[in-house]
Amino acid sequence: MNSLRRTRLHGIGFFCLVAALLLTACEENLTVPEELEMPFSMYGVISPDLDTQSVRIYPVEPRLTLGDPDIAGEIRVSSTNMATGETTVWEDSVGIEENGQHEYIYEAPFRAEHETSYQILAERISDGARSVATVRVPAPVTVRMASVRPQGIDVIIVGDSIRVLKPIVAYVVRLAEGEFPVRRYEIPYQGEEERVPDGWRIEIKFARDARKVQGLYNAEEGALQGSNCGWLDLREMNINILVGNAEWDPPDGAFSRDILVQPGVLHNVENGFGFIGAGFRAVERLRLPREVIEAVCFNFYSP
Amino acid sequence: MQAALIRYLRSSIIFMWGISLFLIVSLVVVLSSEVSYAQSATLGGIVTDSADGQPLAGATVMLRSAASSQEDTPIYGAAADADGIYLIRNVTPGTYSLTISYVGYETFRDTLVLSPGERETRSVSLARSEEQLDEVVVEARESGMARVTAGHQRITPEDIDLVPSPDISADLANYLTSLPGVVTTGDRGGQFFVRGGEPSQNLVMLDGIILYQPFHLIGFYSAFPSEIIDRVDVFAGGFGPKYAGRLSSVIDVASRAGNNRRLAGLASVSPFAGSVRIEGPVVARKLSFIGSARQSFVERTGERLYGEQLPFYFADAFGKLHLRPGPRSTISASAIHTYDRGKLVEEIGGAEAQEIRYTNDGFGLRWLGLPRILPVTTELVATHSNHSMEQGAPGETARESEVRNTRIALHASFVGDSTVTVAGWEAVFSKAHNRLGGLFQNVEASNSSLHSFGFYAEPEYRWRALRIYPGLRLQFYSVRIDPYLEPRLRVEWDVGGHHLTGAAGVYNQQLVGLNDRRDPASVFTVWAGIPRDNESDDTELLHGRLGQGVHALVGYRSRPRPWIEYSVEAFYKRLTNLFVGEWTGFPRLTTRLQPATGRTGGFEARVELKRAGFYGYVTYGYSNTLYSAIGRQIELWYATEQLDFRPGHDRRHQVNALLSTSWRGFDVNLRWSFGSGLPYTRPLAFDGFALVDDIKRAEDLEHSRRVIYERPFSAVLPTYHRLDVSLARTMHLGSAHVKLQASVINAYDRRNLFFVDVFTLKRKDQLPLLPSLGIEVAFN
């Protein structure tokens, strides 16, 4: 046997040995995860502000599909007023989005009541699997000003089990002299709300806002601003807040879809995914003393 | 606008300052050495093969005193570089006998009289020896699987031809998949991960042309068929300062010149693809051309021959003109075009299946020479390339990405008595454009201008058997004013047949290639720049900070007998300031970036046997890659400050074995490959998400479909292994030859998993048992 042949045989032998050894522990199949038993994801808001309540339902599916119009008939959605025990079955409506995706919306024509809990139930008719959310609509809130200074106005929203969200301070202004339009400017205060013992507190940075509003008006209407104060009337100032139930509490008070998309973040559906909020919008007019208004160079307006 | 203008002006000033500095330093170095050695002579030239004009890399050039009785007369020697260029400096004037030799070729002998200050040129064409010493030639080859030097491996067409493939035309991609440090997601997709790095972190060049996606959708093919290749330098890590702009690896392909003596050609066909190549002289011995084109057939033949739809199509074309205007220089012009189209993901619901389409176009000029005025070898490269990628239903484009660049580089090798210092500069002007849309996709558009300028030097120091190459690159990136210093180090120590090597370096990358790594079948890559200082979003943590890699590796190689060689190499890479696509439950690609760090470590072992008529190797690679993602949402979602996970390309174990021999006149090649399972993220279910952010009716809530995942990359796919076999016979008919090849891919029909479709939860397997027949006809 010459050396070449010997080398060749050794090579083939080694090749086969390595292959045989490594073939032993080779699983071809994929481990399949257990199927999630949660039937639905639900999203919506129960509110006294709306004359029709509605929820968006997504079946939790084993694969991504564009949906089927028949699915809506397979789901029964109802609400129960926990105070009266009254149950309402909601009507389904199926829509088709531009990309062909079916959407399942359920609605019921009633206005939610303050200080009332509602149980929203989505049930799969075929096997009775259910997802449930229970929410309580907060009581109306009172808004008061704790301190009023040109630099900052402390506004307290008094209420139990509430979460104040998306506060906006609106300024309605007009040039003190001449025929110029009334303009409304909204300054967002999202993320600046702070929990206090009797509710929530928002500090309105009045002087900063005044400079901003005057600048915006000036930019829109031309170079009207002189060096003097009082060229712009502050005709109205109000605060607009979303008053939600205590569970309506996104991280940092911000509604970032990229953060909230993860299941488990902002979640109150039992045996399912999603979130149903309860709340209302509150708007309160803020009446400030003349000296505070004039201290930030607004003209005190008296109709 | 004003800020951008100021930034541009400041960049330009720094660029001009840098160029000026480099030129001044270069001139000082060159002129000072010239003053010192003004009385000595210089000999240089190009060594080529007389049969076809190809350079003979590694040819030995010796100068010996003609007066042999003078024993103390110095002997000068040099080896031709990869382009066949050699240069000997500081030769004492006198009469010399010159010999130029190369294994398997007739030795060239001449007598030279060198005068003080003379710059003599001897460009020589060596004739092939009548007496072919096959065994000697095989053992003398400087390439091979085990021939790894501090992460660097040179690959030749002969190496590539040994790996069985379904096509008779061999391809670089098929060889790269046999390297122990290269991980692919399967036999389709065209994604290569080198030692833990991402595909977008690989710098791939052809004749200096930067290519962004040069691998075809069918994993056996790239833009580089072996018949156009002269050599490939693969740096799996620790690459020197000549290269920059990527964090992971370099694949530097040099094409060969066309035959400048006579017309030659080749045509081949198989059920997978067909190819043609033609080359020849335009002006004999002066100007040659080579052209190559390929097209796949598998889209049409797949279902008929194999009972399975293989919806992939590719085509590529390459052309090169090579001019030798004189004995001291060569000029070449290369052009390349590739096109791919294929479907990797099945349709969702009733929607039409998504198609991926991409092209690469490139053009480059390369001048190589020995300037008469300077004792250096120089390479000047000017290239332009464009890469575009689209995804959407056939005939529609839902998302698109495009990146183009113009590159100008000058490399110079300063030859010393026994060392070579390389230095140079490089300017790359890149632009990227993206537009995203499609099913479940938010529409996003972005444009980026990403320029970089760099200067480098890498001297060589020798101390006995130790060679040290400390390198430094001064790199300017347009994303930030401050220059980046990128130190590099390579060390080689040869002692008694033992070869110890090491390398280390710092690397930066400003161009980010984003893939949807939740989906291993995703090829669509968005090329974009890192966020700038003045942008404000969630990634402010990394604004203006480039992705950075630090490499360290150490290796040992030995060749105890001429026919056996083995090597081991351990490596570590630390990656910081990485931008990975933000993890999201939305079933779509996102360009929102998430900060991450990563590290990868491992080792590779290779044993190679080479004899005349027999060749084989076995390689084993172990790799361990871990990424850590940080960000506000990570804390919210997983109750931890950072999320550690194995990325989808973290293949822990990989084995490749190749055996090539001849049997009864047939060339027999077998290749067996094994890989442990890749991590993946298991989708649990699908539902939808709506943003409950105000008092609204449900239909007015912003909404989208959603994927509910397990913890990222917490599941592992099954192991992968496959045996490929090819049997070929070549018949010579005068100056032509006909080659017939029969091959079987996946010979024992292993059901290897390619990916799990995250949208349908269906498994998609790699290619089943695929027999193939091919024929090649060539003449020369």
Side-chain angles (χ1 to χ4, degrees):
Chain A
M1 188 183 284
N2 61 34
S3 65
L4 173 59
R5 198 168 168 196
R6 205 164 43 236
T7 308
R8 189 181 293 166
L9 284 176
H10 286 166
I12 294 169
F14 186 63
F15 188 90
C16 295
L17 180 68
V18 171
L21 280 174
L22 290 167
L23 272 172
T24 50
C26 296
E27 177 57 58
E28 276 186 349
N29 296 322
L30 193 66
T31 323
V32 180
E34 285 181 19
E35 201 166 303
L36 281 179
E37 290 181 357
M38 297 172 179
F40 301 111
S41 296
M42 302 197 289
Y43 301 89
V45 177
I46 304 300
S47 174
D49 293 352
L50 302 169
D51 56 8
T52 299
Q53 312 301 314
S54 57
V55 291
R56 177 181 287 273
I57 303 286
Y58 289 100
V60 178
E61 300 171 306
R63 58 184 50 86
L64 188 61
T65 67
L66 292 173
D68 184 334
D70 296 337
I71 289 176
E74 295 292 314
I75 306 168
R76 180 177 179 273
V77 175
S78 62
S79 63
T80 302
N81 182 322
M82 304 299 277
T84 64
E86 182 189 3
T87 297
T88 307
V89 177
W90 296 27
E91 292 290 320
D92 66 76
S93 72
V94 179
I96 299 181
E97 297 178 40
E98 276 183 17
N99 62 12
Q101 177 73 54
H102 289 79
E103 56 178 5
Y104 312 107
I105 308 284
Y106 291 79
E107 54 189 28
F110 69 92
R111 194 176 290 273
E113 295 171 15
H114 288 285
E115 296 183 83
T116 304
S117 293
Y118 292 88
Q119 186 185 68
I120 316 298
L121 173 75
E123 182 179 4
R124 192 159 56 209
I125 294 170
S126 58
D127 62 1
R130 295 171 163 197
S131 297
V132 182
T134 305
V135 292
R136 181 175 174 79
V137 181
V141 293
T142 56
V143 178
R144 64 179 169 83
M145 289 184 285
S147 74
V148 182
R149 292 165 292 115
Q151 291 75 23
I153 302 164
D154 277 348
V155 176
I156 308 294
I157 298 102
V158 182
D160 283 336
S161 300
I162 59 165
R163 175 63 162 100
V164 168
L165 294 158
K166 301 176 83 168
I168 294 167
V169 177
Y171 296 87
V172 179
V173 294
R174 210 201 84 157
L175 206 66
E177 294 175 358
E179 291 298 317
F180 287 93
V182 174
R183 294 201 180 276
R184 176 188 170 91
Y185 297 101
E186 293 186 345
I187 312 287
Y189 274 81
Q190 180 168 299
E192 296 188 34
E193 63 278 2
E194 181 188 349
R195 198 185 295 271
V196 290
D198 54 347
W200 289 79
R201 170 181 169 272
I202 297 163
E203 186 193 1
I204 298 172
K205 297 176 178 66
F206 187 50
R208 184 202 68 181
D209 289 357
R211 283 195 300 275
K212 195 169 182 178
V213 168
Q214 288 158 5
L216 287 169
Y217 195 96
N218 199 35
E220 285 186 26
E221 294 300 330
L224 302 167
Q225 184 182 7
S227 56
N228 299 327
C229 280
W231 58 278
L232 196 64
D233 287 348
L234 177 60
R235 297 197 156 205
E236 189 181 317
M237 176 183 175
N238 56 49
I239 183 165
N240 185 330
I241 48 172
L242 166 60
V243 181
N245 54 334
E247 291 75 33
W248 201 347
D249 187 19
D252 300 329
F255 291 96
S256 165
R257 62 203 300 276
D258 293 295
I259 285 179
L260 299 178
V261 67
Q262 180 74 0
V265 182
L266 196 61
H267 166 261
N268 67 348
V269 177
E270 292 171 33
N271 198 38
F273 298 102
F275 181 76
I276 293 186
F280 53 91
R281 275 263 166 205
V283 181
E284 186 73 20
R285 185 165 182 174
L286 303 175
R287 298 174 195 282
L288 306 183
R290 180 176 194 139
E291 61 272 19
V292 173
I293 291 174
E294 290 179 345
V296 297
C297 280
F298 276 131
N299 185 48
F300 180 75
Y301 173 75
S302 179
Chain B
M1 183 68 188
Q2 195 179 2
L5 184 63
I6 291 169
R7 193 163 52 233
Y8 174 75
L9 289 172
R10 288 173 70 183
S11 301
S12 303
I13 291 166
I14 289 172
F15 176 53
M16 295 312 296
W17 172 85
I19 284 190
S20 307
L21 178 71
F22 174 73
L23 291 175
I24 290 166
V25 170
S26 303
L27 277 174
V28 167
V29 169
V30 170
L31 292 176
S32 61
S33 61
E34 276 306 276
V35 171
S36 307
Y37 298 104
Q39 295 308 306
S40 62
T42 300
L43 174 68
I46 304 173
V47 186
T48 53
D49 184 334
S50 68
D52 55 12
Q54 301 299 324
L56 292 177
T60 306
V61 184
M62 298 292 289
L63 268 182
R64 188 182 294 271
S65 170
S68 56
S69 58
Q70 297 175 4
E71 290 181 359
D72 58 342
T73 304
I75 295 174
Y76 303 93
D81 68 11
D83 294 296
I85 297 177
Y86 72 92
L87 184 65
I88 303 174
R89 288 185 62 207
N90 306 331
V91 180
T92 305
T95 304
Y96 292 91
S97 70
L98 167 69
T99 57
I100 300 179
S101 58
Y102 192 72
V103 175
Y105 286 77
E106 304 285 353
T107 299
F108 172 85
R109 290 188 173 82
D110 197 3
T111 301
L112 287 179
V113 179
L114 296 172
S115 310
E118 185 176 1
R119 295 217 166 86
E120 179 63 34
T121 305
R122 277 288 189 280
S123 288
V124 171
S125 291
L126 299 184
R128 287 179 190 173
S129 173
E130 293 294 318
E131 192 181 344
Q132 281 290 340
L133 304 171
D134 283 350
E135 190 138 344
V136 175
V137 172
V138 168
E139 289 170 359
R141 277 175 53 198
E142 284 303 307
S143 66
M145 182 53 81
R147 187 59 64 93
V148 184
T149 305
H152 172 224
Q153 181 177 358
R154 175 156 291 174
I155 300 165
T156 64
E158 292 77 30
D159 300 317
I160 298 167
D161 290 344
L162 294 170
V163 183
S165 110
D167 191 5
I168 196 162
S169 162
D171 193 285
L172 175 64
N174 213 23
Y175 186 85
L176 290 178
T177 59
S178 70
L179 296 178
V182 174
V183 169
T184 64
T185 49
D187 50 25
R188 59 192 94 176
Q191 302 279 292
F192 284 75
F193 302 83
V194 182
R195 286 189 181 172
E198 299 262 346
S200 60
Q201 294 166 355
N202 302 328
L203 176 62
V204 186
M205 293 194 290
L206 170 67
D207 294 337
I209 305 166
I210 297 174
L211 298 173
Y212 294 89
Q213 179 49 287
F215 301 102
H216 291 305
L217 276 170
I218 306 176
F220 304 107
Y221 299 94
S222 67
F224 317 114
S226 77
E227 60 238 25
I228 68 161
I229 292 174
D230 176 57
R231 63 185 183 277
V232 182
D233 288 302
V234 175
F235 295 87
F239 45 91
K242 184 180 177 185
Y243 303 103
R246 294 292 188 278
L247 296 183
S248 179
S249 71
V250 174
I251 301 172
D252 190 357
V253 182
S255 69
R256 67 183 188 82
N259 191 324
N260 68 6
R261 302 298 200 271
R262 58 180 175 272
L263 198 64
L266 175 152
S268 71
V269 66
S270 79
F272 268 70
S275 69
V276 291
R277 186 199 80 214
I278 188 154
E279 59 185 302
V282 179
V283 178
R285 296 171 184 268
K286 281 276 186 190
L287 177 63
S288 69
F289 75 95
I290 179 170
S292 158
R294 283 191 306 184
Q295 186 182 28
S296 70
F297 304 136
V298 72
E299 188 178 37
R300 278 171 280 171
T301 59
E303 188 150 27
R304 202 177 314 156
L305 295 179
Y306 306 120
E308 180 178 340
Q309 278 195 338
L310 296 169
F312 306 105
Y313 172 80
F314 74 81
D316 56 44
F318 170 79
K320 182 175 180 178
L321 285 170
H322 186 78
L323 174 68
R324 284 196 60 183
R328 299 181 72 90
S329 64
T330 65
I331 299 169
S332 59
S334 308
I336 187 166
H337 169 75
T338 75
Y339 176 75
D340 275 84
R341 185 188 68 225
K343 293 172 185 167
L344 288 165
V345 180
E346 291 183 358
E347 65 269 32
I348 300 166
E352 203 163 5
Q354 295 282 293
E355 192 174 76
I356 187 99
R357 302 177 287 271
Y358 58 84
T359 62
N360 291 283
D361 291 287
F363 175 78
L365 289 168
R366 185 167 179 246
W367 176 81
L368 281 170
L370 291 159
R372 282 208 173 271
I373 56 165
L374 295 172
V376 296
T377 62
T378 51
E379 177 189 9
L380 178 64
V381 179
T383 67
H384 178 80
S385 68
N386 181 67
H387 164 64
S388 67
M389 188 174 270
E390 297 174 349
Q391 185 170 324
E396 293 177 11
T397 302
R399 55 179 76 160
E400 60 187 342
S401 176
E402 184 179 20
V403 58
R404 58 181 62 198
N405 81 84
T406 300
R407 174 175 177 261
I408 304 166
L410 176 68
H411 308 290
S413 298
F414 299 82
V415 180
D417 291 339
S418 60
T419 60
V420 177
T421 295
V422 292
W425 60 264
E426 179 187 40
V428 181
F429 307 92
S430 306
K431 283 194 171 185
H433 163 74
N434 305 295
R435 189 184 62 81
L436 304 180
L439 193 65
F440 311 121
Q441 177 72 51
N442 54 337
V443 175
E444 299 173 18
S446 68
N447 290 292
S448 317
S449 292
L450 302 155
H451 310 315
S452 65
F453 318 102
F455 313 96
Y456 73 91
E458 187 183 46
E460 177 185 357
Y461 296 100
R462 280 194 185 192
W463 184 70
R464 296 183 180 173
L466 184 68
R467 293 182 190 191
I468 303 175
Y469 304 88
L472 185 67
R473 187 164 180 122
L474 180 68
Q475 188 78 2
F476 298 89
Y477 295 99
S478 58
V479 75
R480 194 163 164 165
I481 295 295
D482 310 333
Y484 283 76
L485 276 179
E486 300 181 354
R488 315 280 170 87
L489 176 68
R490 295 177 65 80
V491 180
E492 296 177 30
W493 188 38
D494 286 297
V495 55
H498 304 284
H499 197 75
L500 281 165
T501 60
V506 175
Y507 309 88
N508 294 292
Q509 181 168 346
Q510 70 172 347
L511 188 63
V512 183
L514 280 176
N515 281 79
D516 191 346
R517 288 277 165 246
R518 296 170 303 172
D519 174 7
S522 172
V523 176
F524 189 82
T525 304
V526 174
W527 293 93
I530 62 165
R532 290 176 186 268
D533 291 327
N534 56 350
E535 290 176 359
S536 60
D537 60 27
D538 294 342
T539 57
E540 64 179 315
L541 190 63
L542 296 180
H543 277 175
R545 295 172 67 179
L546 298 179
Q548 188 177 76
V550 178
H551 298 188
L553 55 93
V554 59
Y556 169 75
R557 193 178 79 224
S558 180
R559 196 175 172 191
R561 295 282 183 277
W563 50 271
I564 183 168
E565 187 163 8
Y566 62 89
S567 63
V568 289
E569 193 162 283
F571 61 90
Y572 178 81
K573 288 180 183 173
R574 183 167 60 84
L575 304 167
T576 51
N577 305 342
L578 287 182
F579 294 92
V580 295
E582 187 180 76
W583 195 262
T584 173
F586 294 118
R588 58 150 202 266
L589 175 62
T590 177
T591 53
R592 283 174 60 89
L593 301 173
Q594 181 170 300
T597 59
R599 61 117 183 102
T600 184
F603 70 93
E604 296 167 3
R606 312 169 190 221
V607 181
E608 184 181 15
L609 304 169
K610 23 185 167 178
R611 301 289 295 262
F614 177 86
Y615 179 79
Y617 59 74
V618 178
T619 68
Y620 169 74
Y622 170 79
S623 176
N624 186 319
T625 304
L626 191 74
Y627 277 14
S628 299
I630 46 179
R632 168 81 176 123
Q633 66 274 40
I634 296 294
E635 204 173 337
L636 283 167
W637 294 354
Y638 305 109
T640 177
E641 282 187 7
Q642 68 176 40
L643 176 70
D644 296 332
F645 64 95
R646 292 174 60 191
H649 57 274
D650 180 30
R651 173 161 279 158
R652 290 283 159 88
H653 307 280
Q654 188 153 290
V655 179
N656 271 285
L658 182 123
L659 190 149
S660 175
T661 187
S662 54
W663 175 72
R664 295 177 189 265
F666 287 92
D667 294 325
V668 183
N669 294 321
L670 293 93
R671 178 207 172 173
W672 186 74
S673 48
F674 168 90
S676 58
L678 295 170
Y680 81 110
T681 305
R682 232 167 19 175
L684 297 174
F686 302 89
D687 67 342
F689 166 76
L691 188 64
V692 184
D693 65 341
D694 214 328
I695 308 299
K696 293 177 182 170
R697 292 170 56 85
E699 64 199 67
D700 298 328
L701 297 173
E702 182 187 338
H703 60 278
S704 171
R705 294 307 305 269
R706 176 172 72 177
V707 188
I708 301 171
Y709 292 107
E710 272 189 339
R711 198 177 169 93
F713 297 103
S714 56
V716 178
L717 295 173
T719 52
Y720 158 89
H721 53 86
R722 194 180 81 195
L723 175 68
D724 301 338
V725 183
S726 72
L727 194 68
R729 179 149 203 170
T730 305
M731 289 157 282
H732 295 275
L733 306 165
S735 63
H737 78 252
V738 177
K739 184 178 171 186
L740 294 167
Q741 178 183 287
S743 67
V744 180
I745 297 302
N746 196 1
Y748 50 84
D749 201 19
R750 160 80 180 181
R751 199 173 168 226
N752 287 310
L753 192 140
F754 175 32
F755 72 100
V756 182
D757 188 329
V758 295
F759 299 141
T760 62
L761 288 181
K762 284 182 185 170
R763 67 177 282 158
K764 188 79 183 170
D765 288 331
Q766 297 189 36
L767 294 176
L769 184 148
L770 284 185
S772 178
L773 278 172
I775 183 169
E776 175 186 283
V777 180
F779 70 93
N780 54 28

